[in-house]
Amino acid sequence: MRENRMGLLIKKISEHIEKQVNFEVKKYNLTMTQVRVIVFLFRKEGRVATQKEIELFMEVAHPTIVSIISSLEKKGFVRCCFDENDHRMKNVYLIWGGNVEIYQEMRQTMFSISDQLVQDFTEDEKKAFARFLERAYTNSKK
């Protein structure tokens, strides 16, 4: 019988990463999913994105992103308002006041966990691994 451990290993890695991130950001009452939104906004020009842009980045349904953003707004990490030029669009702004260190720490946590995954890889292996992951991700969407 053919044994396929790749799917299981990918799932285990994903669960381990999520567990690590959730542990690191628990002190801010955040989850990995919320951190992904925050880091996405942190990297955006002007620290703002439409709700639709976030939805596409996160690859989740509209009600899911509404819930995530609502939670972040209640916790004081984002502010939402309708676009003044198109009232159908909702803009999500990252709130800086007092949170800069938190954002940088979250971003560093994500980098550290990624670095840990490939800590004993050569540079060529890291590049190949990234290419393989991109291809596997693309294939998974077919």
Side-chain angles (χ1 to χ4, degrees):
M1 181 161 79
R2 184 174 158 212
E3 185 178 347
N4 184 353
R5 293 185 34 90
M6 276 190 283
L8 178 62
L9 287 172
I10 291 169
K11 181 165 178 37
K12 284 183 172 186
I13 291 168
S14 175
E15 289 171 347
H16 183 71
I17 290 170
E18 187 168 3
K19 185 178 177 181
Q20 278 186 287
V21 172
N22 284 338
F23 177 79
E24 292 293 327
V25 299
K26 186 177 183 178
K27 60 189 166 199
Y28 303 117
N29 193 27
L30 294 169
T31 65
M32 181 172 149
T33 302
Q34 293 167 338
V35 168
R36 286 184 63 214
V37 171
I38 290 169
V39 171
F40 174 75
L41 289 169
F42 187 81
R43 292 171 46 199
K44 291 286 286 182
E45 183 76 30
R47 310 295 191 244
V48 62
T50 66
Q51 191 168 293
K52 185 67 175 176
E53 286 177 304
I54 299 169
E55 185 179 315
L56 293 171
F57 168 75
M58 296 291 289
E59 297 182 350
V60 296
H62 179 75
T64 303
I65 207 64
V66 168
S67 174
I68 294 166
I69 291 170
S70 174
S71 179
L72 286 170
E73 191 170 27
K74 286 176 188 167
K75 293 175 183 181
F77 285 95
V78 299
R79 177 177 56 87
C80 301
C81 59
F82 287 99
D83 188 287
E84 55 189 52
N85 297 322
D86 185 349
H87 293 290
R88 297 170 298 168
M89 303 291 281
K90 197 170 194 180
N91 291 326
V92 182
Y93 296 85
L94 191 62
I95 296 175
W96 279 102
N99 292 326
V100 176
E101 294 82 16
I102 295 171
Y103 301 142
Q104 291 172 336
E105 183 182 337
M106 285 183 227
R107 198 162 175 244
Q108 185 57 46
T109 294
M110 301 294 267
F111 284 128
S112 295
I113 291 169
S114 292
D115 290 345
Q116 180 186 0
L117 268 178
V118 294
Q119 65 186 346
D120 59 350
F121 288 23
T122 66
E123 285 305 311
D124 287 342
E125 289 172 330
K126 289 177 187 178
K127 290 175 185 172
F129 184 60
R131 282 194 317 271
F132 293 148
L133 287 174
E134 287 289 340
R135 282 176 45 200
Y137 175 68
T138 299
N139 291 341
S140 76
K141 297 192 301 184
K142 289 182 183 177

